[in-house]
Amino acid sequence: MEPRIGIDDGRRSTAETGRREISEIVTHVMADTYVLYFQTQSFHWNVRGPHFHALHKMFEEQYDQLAEAVDELAERVRALGALAPTSLGQIASIARIPLDHGAPGARGMVEILLRGHEHLARDTRRAAEIAEESGDGVTHDMLIGRAEEHEKTAWMLRATLDE
């Protein structure tokens, strides 16, 4: 059954097209968030060096927050009437963040995560604009909140790199 949730399509031709387009955009954000979640957790497991304890703890806090974000994004995709990704392969094919970075040193880990959060801050802003143009305030607000979280995390990672 198709959702009838009152999304005003604005410039688009039908509400269904608007919902479909928004769900695809949210799915991309969700896939990138999932990749960043996994990278962050992997770095948590594999970090080493003189700042081990601080980075280990920071990465854990970040991957916990990202796990919640993935769930929220996937549930929004479902509320829009689409299926959330059903396999890791599907997530990998949708994601725009590179999947494999190996286990670099601590500084490299922070730099990779910084790039991921900056990417998602930009991407969620663009997605929020499209949602707003379609009259989907719920998705817009959720994505603005995600952009804010990614900007804050990026700031913290940048500060970690300062010496």
Side-chain angles (χ1 to χ4, degrees):
M1 179 181 278
E2 288 292 320
R4 291 183 173 87
I5 55 177
I7 295 175
D8 178 15
D9 200 44
R11 290 186 266 171
R12 288 152 180 81
S13 59
T14 69
E16 183 179 335
T17 302
R19 268 195 336 276
R20 189 172 331 141
E21 181 182 13
I22 294 166
S23 68
E24 288 173 8
I25 291 165
V26 175
T27 299
H28 277 284
V29 171
M30 193 224 87
D32 279 341
T33 303
Y34 197 94
V35 168
L36 188 58
Y37 155 77
F38 181 77
Q39 286 175 340
T40 307
Q41 189 170 43
S42 172
F43 291 169
H44 164 80
W45 295 328
N46 292 297
V47 69
R48 58 198 182 281
H51 303 291
F52 165 81
H53 189 275
L55 290 175
H56 184 76
K57 185 170 179 58
M58 181 175 71
F59 293 162
E60 182 175 14
E61 291 168 0
Q62 290 175 2
Y63 77 70
D64 282 344
Q65 191 273 331
L66 288 165
E68 289 179 28
V70 167
D71 188 56
E72 180 183 20
L73 291 160
E75 288 176 356
R76 186 64 191 153
V77 169
R78 294 296 294 135
L80 291 166
L83 287 176
T86 58
S87 71
L88 292 175
Q90 188 179 14
I91 287 172
S93 72
I94 296 168
R96 299 171 190 152
I97 291 178
L99 291 167
D100 187 14
H101 293 291
R107 183 175 183 84
M109 290 177 175
V110 173
E111 290 170 348
I112 289 166
L113 296 179
L114 171 59
R115 286 193 301 270
H117 281 283
E118 288 177 337
H119 165 82
L120 275 163
R122 291 186 306 270
D123 210 35
T124 54
R125 276 186 188 286
R126 282 191 297 270
E129 289 170 6
I130 292 168
E132 185 176 43
E133 289 171 4
S134 294
D136 182 357
V138 174
T139 302
H140 173 264
D141 288 351
M142 181 189 69
L143 292 171
I144 291 298
R146 293 294 329 129
E148 180 182 13
E149 284 297 318
H150 291 297
E151 289 173 7
K152 182 177 179 181
T153 303
W155 158 60
M156 291 181 179
L157 291 165
R158 273 191 307 277
T160 301
L161 292 171
D162 285 346
E163 298 200 20

